[in-house]
Amino acid sequence: MTYCVGMMLDQGLVFMSDTRTNAGLDNISTFRKMHIWEDSGERVITLLSAGNLATTQSVISLLDERSKAPECRSPTVLAAESMFQVAQIIAGTLQEVIQQRTEVGQSSEKSFDATMILGGQIRGGTTRLFLIYPEGNFIEAGADTPFFQIGEIKYGRPILVRAYHPTLDFSAALKLMLVSFDSTLRANLTVGPPFDYHCYEADTFTRGPCGRVESDDPRFLTISEGWSDALKRALEELPSF
Amino acid sequence: MTYCVGMMLDQGLVFMSDTRTNAGLDNISTFRKMHIWEDSGERVITLLSAGNLATTQSVISLLDERSKAPECRSPTVLAAESMFQVAQIIAGTLQEVIQQRTEVGQSSEKSFDATMILGGQIRGGTTRLFLIYPEGNFIEAGADTPFFQIGEIKYGRPILVRAYHPTLDFSAALKLMLVSFDSTLRANLTVGPPFDYHCYEADTFTRGPCGRVESDDPRFLTISEGWSDALKRALEELPSF
């Protein structure tokens, strides 16, 4: 399993992904599920992926290969003229990779499917956030649904639904996401640290603060341990039934 | 879908169940999923059910029919000598009902499965809480795992994991459960109010406070609306990342 969140804020876009992959509960590994393409001053694109690891790695590699030489950049994520076109390219590649597995008659207990969150900004456009389905179609976030989750979405959803607000700054949004991730990993063994994050500040067209939160990161431990107490106090504050 | 919780506390047992059933998203109904058997001064048994409604109703009716006439009470939930025996009877009946459907060659897109939470006390024994599987086997709650959830368990789990404590009184436990139910129904349309509850006080051998929380119950609305603010404050209190 996997847990990834992409969020639109007034300040920009925030992304977080876990790094645990598993083929059965007795076979876990650590893989990066966040990929960033940057053409500094011109565009920054972040992609989070959940699902079959061979599929998502294949999609990233195909997109990468096609982006390396500037003369081959069309149609690539580094040459597309809008985030909508980037979404079309990635969705097409994803659907193509999945279809290849199916066409060669491969079958597996597990599906070859994958789902992706795509967000970024290209000079001349606004920040945009998409959720890409394995079928090759996608939806875009807006004011009504300003964040997307993929993977094990349920445990971490209630806190996002309640505490999200577009005016959150990056620091508060990362705190909110870490609480959401902590709730998830306490309940599902197939979601695990470290967590990768990237905060893209709108209209900078440059990679923003990004990094990795390890399981023993004191900032994460403080949030994880403090949250139980904070929740208990919050519950006490509510009127009795 | 369904959401039910059964919880062991020092004070006794608390149960809550939603009432929404659905055959597809366009066909929803309201059914009681909590059933209480009482032999006042001698035993109180509460059963919560999730899964195929025909299966769970059939189980309840079979158990009821066998309990009506005292002379036919063996082996019934009102005559069994321990909660363990009650669990065996109910688990056996459940497995029998599911097997009947399968044996007559019925097949359906949906399964005939059901899962149940059983809790109660019989004079001479302590309060006990069981989770009964469709296969006819069951597990018992203890100090390490003091509550069970069935149905749509994920959205409402993080708050239970964080805020549960065996010293909670009934009022605080119901508040906690309502927060958990509210988180669930905000995310899953197939869980819905009203909610039934029953608080059995240990060693009373009499039905405790029980009732129904409607969606417009002011106590529920206060908790539901107050919780968002309480959570936001709790998040603000945490140190920034």
Side-chain angles (χ1 to χ4, degrees):
Chain A
M1 208 80 174
T2 287
Y3 183 39
C4 301
V5 181
M7 193 178 270
M8 294 185 78
L9 298 170
D10 295 345
Q11 203 185 341
L13 297 167
V14 187
F15 305 90
M16 191 174 278
S17 56
D18 84 320
T19 53
R20 182 162 294 171
T21 65
N22 69 302
L25 276 171
D26 50 355
N27 183 0
I28 63 169
S29 311
T30 302
F31 280 95
R32 191 173 168 83
K33 300 170 189 174
M34 177 184 291
H35 199 85
I36 304 173
W37 288 275
E38 184 184 10
D39 184 353
S40 194
E42 208 273 318
R43 72 181 62 202
V44 177
I45 294 162
T46 307
L47 188 67
L48 309 176
S49 53
N52 187 295
L53 185 65
T55 297
T56 60
Q57 286 195 342
S58 180
V59 170
I60 303 283
S61 297
L62 281 169
L63 295 169
D64 260 351
E65 295 235 327
R66 291 172 186 166
S67 303
K68 270 177 189 159
E71 64 274 19
C72 321
R73 276 194 186 174
S74 180
T76 73
V77 294
L78 287 179
E81 287 182 10
S82 69
M83 282 304 297
F84 178 77
Q85 287 183 19
V86 172
Q88 281 186 311
I89 291 167
I90 296 177
T93 310
L94 174 62
Q95 191 256 338
E96 184 187 310
V97 169
I98 297 171
Q99 201 165 17
Q100 274 172 1
R101 283 308 94 199
T102 319
E103 269 175 9
V104 295
Q106 296 287 344
S107 71
S108 155
E109 220 183 299
K110 306 279 177 182
S111 116
F112 298 111
D113 282 1
T115 311
M116 296 179 157
I117 292 174
L118 164 71
Q121 188 177 20
I122 294 175
R123 193 169 283 281
T126 58
T127 57
R128 294 174 77 174
L129 185 68
F130 298 89
L131 176 63
I132 303 175
Y133 295 108
E135 290 77 10
N137 54 357
F138 50 87
I139 59 174
E140 184 171 1
D144 290 327
T145 300
F147 60 84
F148 288 132
Q149 306 166 278
I150 52 176
E152 173 56 279
I153 67 170
K154 293 189 178 183
Y155 296 111
R157 189 168 179 81
I159 181 64
L160 293 183
V161 169
R162 300 277 198 168
Y164 168 87
H165 197 273
T167 59
L168 289 178
D169 62 16
F170 287 153
S171 165
L174 285 176
K175 184 163 74 172
L176 170 60
M177 282 193 176
L178 283 176
V179 168
S180 175
F181 272 70
D182 189 51
S183 296
T184 309
L185 68 92
R186 276 171 186 254
N188 189 330
L189 285 176
T190 66
V191 175
F195 307 128
D196 292 315
Y197 65 89
H198 175 213
C199 304
Y200 170 73
E201 189 163 353
D203 304 326
T204 59
F205 305 101
T206 311
R207 184 192 295 238
C210 54
R212 178 163 274 198
V213 184
E214 298 286 344
S215 57
D216 58 355
D217 187 313
R219 298 167 299 179
F220 175 56
L221 291 178
T222 313
I223 288 174
S224 172
E225 284 158 17
W227 185 238
S228 291
D229 298 332
L231 267 191
K232 281 177 200 159
R233 278 198 303 278
L235 204 66
E236 278 164 20
E237 282 170 27
L238 283 182
S240 276
F241 181 77
Chain B
M1 209 77 177
T2 287
Y3 183 39
C4 301
V5 181
M7 193 179 271
M8 295 185 78
L9 299 170
D10 295 344
Q11 204 184 341
L13 298 167
V14 186
F15 305 90
M16 190 172 279
S17 56
D18 84 319
T19 53
R20 183 162 293 171
T21 65
N22 68 301
L25 277 171
D26 50 355
N27 184 1
I28 63 169
S29 311
T30 302
F31 281 94
R32 191 174 168 82
K33 300 170 190 174
M34 177 184 290
H35 198 86
I36 304 173
W37 289 275
E38 184 184 10
D39 184 353
S40 196
E42 209 272 318
R43 72 181 64 202
V44 177
I45 294 161
T46 307
L47 189 67
L48 309 176
S49 53
N52 186 295
L53 185 64
T55 297
T56 61
Q57 286 195 342
S58 180
V59 170
I60 303 284
S61 297
L62 281 169
L63 294 169
D64 260 350
E65 295 235 326
R66 292 172 185 168
S67 303
K68 269 176 189 157
E71 64 274 19
C72 320
R73 277 194 185 175
S74 181
T76 74
V77 294
L78 287 178
E81 288 182 10
S82 69
M83 282 303 297
F84 178 77
Q85 286 183 20
V86 173
Q88 282 185 311
I89 291 167
I90 295 177
T93 310
L94 174 62
Q95 192 256 339
E96 184 188 310
V97 169
I98 295 171
Q99 202 167 17
Q100 273 172 3
R101 283 308 94 201
T102 317
E103 269 174 8
V104 295
Q106 297 285 345
S107 71
S108 154
E109 218 183 303
K110 306 277 178 186
S111 118
F112 299 111
D113 282 1
T115 311
M116 297 180 155
I117 292 173
L118 163 72
Q121 189 177 20
I122 295 175
R123 193 170 283 280
T126 57
T127 56
R128 294 175 77 174
L129 184 68
F130 299 89
L131 175 64
I132 303 175
Y133 296 107
E135 290 77 10
N137 55 357
F138 49 85
I139 59 173
E140 182 170 3
D144 290 328
T145 301
F147 60 84
F148 288 132
Q149 305 166 278
I150 51 176
E152 173 57 280
I153 66 169
K154 293 189 178 182
Y155 296 111
R157 187 168 180 82
I159 181 65
L160 294 182
V161 170
R162 300 276 198 168
Y164 169 87
H165 198 273
T167 58
L168 289 178
D169 62 16
F170 286 154
S171 166
L174 285 175
K175 184 164 73 173
L176 171 59
M177 283 191 175
L178 283 175
V179 168
S180 176
F181 272 70
D182 188 50
S183 295
T184 309
L185 70 90
R186 276 173 185 252
N188 189 329
L189 285 175
T190 66
V191 174
F195 307 128
D196 292 316
Y197 65 90
H198 175 212
C199 304
Y200 170 73
E201 190 164 351
D203 304 326
T204 59
F205 305 101
T206 311
R207 184 192 296 237
C210 55
R212 180 162 272 199
V213 184
E214 299 285 345
S215 58
D216 58 355
D217 187 313
R219 298 168 299 179
F220 176 56
L221 291 179
T222 312
I223 288 174
S224 172
E225 285 158 17
W227 185 238
S228 291
D229 297 333
L231 267 192
K232 280 178 201 160
R233 278 197 304 276
L235 204 66
E236 278 164 20
E237 282 170 26
L238 283 182
S240 277
F241 179 76

